[in-house]
Amino acid sequence: MKKSSINWTVKRLGNMIEKGQISFDYPIQRKGGQWDLLQKSLLIHSVASDYPLPSIYSIANKEMLGEGDKAKETLVYYILDGKQRLTNITDFLKDEYRLHEDTPSVMIDGNKYDIAEMLFSEMHEEVQDAILSFSLQNYKLDEATDEEIEDLFFRLNNGTPLSKQQKA
């Protein structure tokens, strides 16, 4: 198995998801919607505060995207680990949820911003910019066998075994 490191800003990530260049449909991936509102809100606080986040892991495949004359071969990243983080960040960018009332304020360049109970679109421009420019590290895996991917997924998820359905 070979790995390479790629950094994506949150803004680029959102664009890639919109264009179909990121997929959460890898067979081993667990279903979304696992986090409660406070967990999602603390993630957004971490991003706005520039706290480090765990890396994302993906496998990239070349696929044809688009239709007819506009179809072109594009690299599509299948997310192995990081689905909850990525979907919660992008859902927040689309104003799909308000932050929890207990979300702490953020400090950016010495200025304090209250963000509790806000949608992304309601935030101060400085906070929006901090979120959009946040860099996520992605490890792209190449030449990995199914067994290596399953083992990596097992290790990344704290040893939580895969269900029979997920293994299938």
Side-chain angles (χ1 to χ4, degrees), residues 67-145:
E67 295 182 22
D69 294 341
K70 295 184 180 184
K72 64 179 181 178
E73 192 172 67
T74 306
L75 209 53
V76 176
Y77 293 87
Y78 286 85
I79 303 303
L80 297 175
D81 188 71
K83 177 179 182 175
Q84 301 301 320
R85 281 169 274 148
L86 298 182
T87 56
N88 287 319
I89 290 169
T90 55
D91 287 351
F92 184 69
L93 295 179
K94 296 184 281 184
D95 282 347
E96 291 186 12
Y97 64 92
R98 289 183 177 279
L99 297 181
H100 192 279
E101 63 186 18
D102 293 333
T103 307
S105 300
V106 296
M107 293 292 291
I108 301 172
D109 295 330
N111 296 312
K112 182 179 177 181
Y113 299 95
D114 292 324
I115 61 171
E117 300 183 279
M118 286 190 168
L119 295 169
F120 177 75
S121 63
E122 298 171 339
M123 293 182 154
H124 191 280
E125 187 177 340
E126 293 293 322
V127 180
Q128 289 179 351
D129 288 346
I131 292 170
L132 291 172
S133 64
F134 184 84
S135 184
L136 297 151
Q137 183 177 36
N138 170 39
Y139 284 113
K140 180 176 76 96
L141 307 176
D142 293 304
E143 301 175 24
T145 66

Side-chain angles (χ1 to χ4, degrees), residues 1-6 26 57-62 75-78 80 138-146 148-149 152:
M1 171 171 48
K2 296 179 182 178
K3 74 174 168 67
S4 56
S5 179
I6 304 167
Y26 195 77
Y57 291 80
S58 66
I59 296 174
N61 290 325
K62 288 184 180 180
L75 209 53
V76 176
Y77 293 87
Y78 286 85
L80 297 175
N138 170 39
Y139 284 113
K140 180 176 76 96
L141 307 176
D142 293 304
E143 301 175 24
T145 66
D146 289 343
E148 288 172 323
I149 292 168
L152 176 66

Side-chain angles (χ1 to χ4, degrees), residues 14 18 21-22 27-28 45-46 48 62 72 80 83 121 135 144 149 155-156 161 166:
E18 201 171 288
Q21 295 172 315
I22 293 185
I28 204 168
H45 177 270
S46 295
K62 288 184 180 180
K72 64 179 181 178
L80 297 175
K83 177 179 182 175
S121 63
S135 184
I149 292 168
R155 292 168 189 243
L156 290 171
Q166 290 164 331

Side-chain angles (χ1 to χ4, degrees), residues 39-51:
Q39 288 172 303
K40 295 190 290 189
S41 299
L42 291 175
L43 171 67
I44 299 304
H45 177 270
S46 295
V47 170
S49 299
D50 200 29
Y51 289 4

